Amino acid sequence: VFTSQKWFHVDNKVLLNGFIGKEGRQLQFNAGLGNRFDRFTSQQVITTSQVYAPTGYVSFYHTTPDRNSIVSNYLTGELKKEALQPGAWEYKAATQFYFTGQYAGNFVLQASLGKELQKAQGSFIAGVKQALNSAPYSYTNYENAYTRNFYSFNTESVSRFYASVDSRKWLLSGGVNSYLVNNYIYINESRMPAQYTVPFSLSQAWVRKVFRAGHFYLDNELIYQQVPGSAPVNIPALMGRNQFSYEGNMFKNALKVAVGVQVRYNSSYAPAGYDAQLNRFYYQSKRTVANTPEGAEFANMRIKRFRGFIMADNLQQLFATNAIL
């Protein structure tokens, strides 16, 4: 028995674009209607009959297509002001709301605010995003020659708050991400679609600092993530990346090079499992990976219009292997 699935997607929009306000302080906007068409086709090979032959019974097969089409209409709009002058504020607001079809009631609402920082020679940005989503079709419908299962889930809600600051003067940047998730839809340890109905939060903080001495650079990045307790989410608590490189010109500026080494690390955690039969990942908590820091060497060269890149990755496999606990 063999079942293949295909997904066909078309998205059409009719938008009105324009500007509001005086030159240099104008607002850019667009608004309109959209139409989304999705078609899911399953091609099944099913045994129809068996005929006796000298070598034994021979099976005959035929294929039957199963098509499902989903048509949804939505409203969309965006309002944006760019920072055209040093020190000016910029902001953006956008939304997309489905009002017909299977996805009726789903929406995405986002807004952000930013500013160029003159003294620090950098920028600051903060924003929020709220999304309400129905379960994917592949999570609610499963079919093969022997069984056909349907699953029903409540809409999933994801709220995000983020903020970041970047200073080109100090070669320093950092930020925070915070998510609040309700009715989380996922693939459970039994490799079946499921829903976690307890709201949970996931927070992330990161910082990046580059040290420079002449043509030598030491680029460091560290990320800390709050592990969300008993929620079925696989993430490491700590991740890091360190890169040491030489970047400069050689042979009277004819050759530009960037060569160096990079090391990546993350703390031990239970990674997602992979279902090769259904070609998707699932949540699992029985195996934990203790990660050996990953090493890589790279060389990037440019001579006029020619550019070459060489990289040797996962060098740690020459002397160590990751432990599965």
Side-chain angles (χ1 to χ4, degrees):
V1 178
F2 175 78
T3 302
S4 63
Q5 293 185 344
K6 295 181 180 179
W7 176 52
F8 178 75
H9 171 76
V10 177
D11 200 327
N12 298 300
K13 296 180 183 179
V14 178
L15 298 176
L16 174 65
N17 299 281
F19 293 89
I20 302 175
K22 298 181 179 180
E23 183 179 356
R25 301 176 59 185
Q26 67 269 25
L27 301 178
Q28 182 180 356
F29 73 91
N30 67 67
L33 294 172
N35 173 266
R36 172 175 173 173
F37 174 79
D38 297 275
R39 168 168 285 182
F40 301 89
T41 303
S42 298
Q43 192 73 25
Q44 297 181 338
V45 180
I46 303 176
T47 304
T48 58
S49 61
Q50 290 185 331
V51 178
Y52 181 77
T55 57
Y57 283 95
V58 177
S59 299
F60 289 87
Y61 303 89
H62 78 281
T63 60
T64 58
D66 182 23
R67 296 185 179 91
N68 289 278
S69 299
I70 301 175
V71 180
S72 301
N73 297 296
Y74 59 88
L75 299 171
T76 182
E78 180 183 87
L79 182 67
K80 179 171 64 175
K81 176 184 178 296
E82 296 181 350
L84 302 178
Q85 301 295 332
W89 288 92
E90 63 178 24
Y91 55 81
K92 175 182 176 181
T95 185
Q96 184 169 297
F97 175 77
Y98 287 86
F99 61 91
T100 66
Q102 185 170 326
Y103 300 117
N106 290 2
F107 69 85
V108 177
L109 179 63
Q110 53 186 331
S112 62
L113 178 69
K115 186 177 183 179
E116 287 289 323
L117 305 177
Q118 292 178 301
K119 294 184 178 181
Q121 299 178 15
S123 61
F124 164 80
I125 188 171
V128 294
K129 182 177 180 180
Q130 172 67 43
L132 195 68
N133 306 305
S134 298
Y137 179 87
S138 60
Y139 282 37
T140 58
N141 295 267
Y142 174 78
E143 179 182 3
N144 61 30
Y146 299 106
T147 184
R148 187 171 189 176
N149 296 329
F150 297 95
Y151 303 91
S152 179
F153 300 107
N154 296 325
T155 52
E156 178 185 75
S157 173
V158 180
S159 303
R160 180 195 177 201
F161 167 78
Y162 62 93
S164 64
V165 62
D166 175 69
S167 172
R168 295 184 295 274
K169 178 180 179 180
W170 302 106
L171 299 178
L172 177 66
S173 59
V176 293
N177 277 292
S178 181
Y179 296 86
L180 178 61
V181 183
N182 190 21
N183 290 330
Y184 176 57
I185 302 171
Y186 69 107
I187 303 297
N188 63 17
E189 294 192 70
S190 300
R191 308 187 186 186
M192 303 297 289
Q195 187 164 50
Y196 185 74
T197 58
V198 179
F200 66 91
S201 62
L202 193 157
S203 300
Q204 180 189 77
W206 63 274
V207 62
R208 180 183 179 186
K209 171 62 179 175
V210 179
F211 297 94
R212 179 181 178 181
H215 293 287
F216 293 92
Y217 293 82
L218 180 60
D219 189 348
N220 307 275
E221 186 173 11
L222 185 66
I223 301 174
Y224 172 75
Q225 300 182 125
Q226 174 212 21
V227 180
S230 59
V233 177
N234 304 92
I235 58 171
L238 188 66
M239 297 185 294
R241 181 186 62 84
N242 302 91
Q243 177 176 296
F244 179 72
S245 63
Y246 171 86
E247 301 177 19
N249 300 327
M250 302 175 67
F251 305 109
K252 298 182 179 181
N253 296 329
L255 172 64
K256 295 184 178 181
V257 298
V259 296
V261 294
Q262 184 182 93
V263 177
R264 301 181 298 271
Y265 169 79
N266 61 264
S267 58
S268 60
Y269 74 111
Y274 178 68
D275 187 340
Q277 182 179 6
L278 297 179
N279 190 28
R280 61 189 181 188
F281 292 91
Y282 64 92
Y283 172 77
Q284 68 85 27
S285 59
K286 296 179 181 179
R287 292 188 175 183
T288 301
V289 173
N291 186 43
T292 300
E294 300 177 359
E297 295 181 355
F298 63 90
N300 191 356
M301 301 160 285
R302 191 178 75 175
I303 304 175
K304 294 185 178 180
R305 296 181 179 86
F306 171 79
R307 172 171 290 180
F309 185 83
I310 301 174
M311 184 169 185
D313 207 352
N314 290 304
L315 298 179
Q316 78 285 350
Q317 295 188 23
L318 298 175
F319 56 85
T321 58
N322 288 339
I324 302 178
L325 308 177

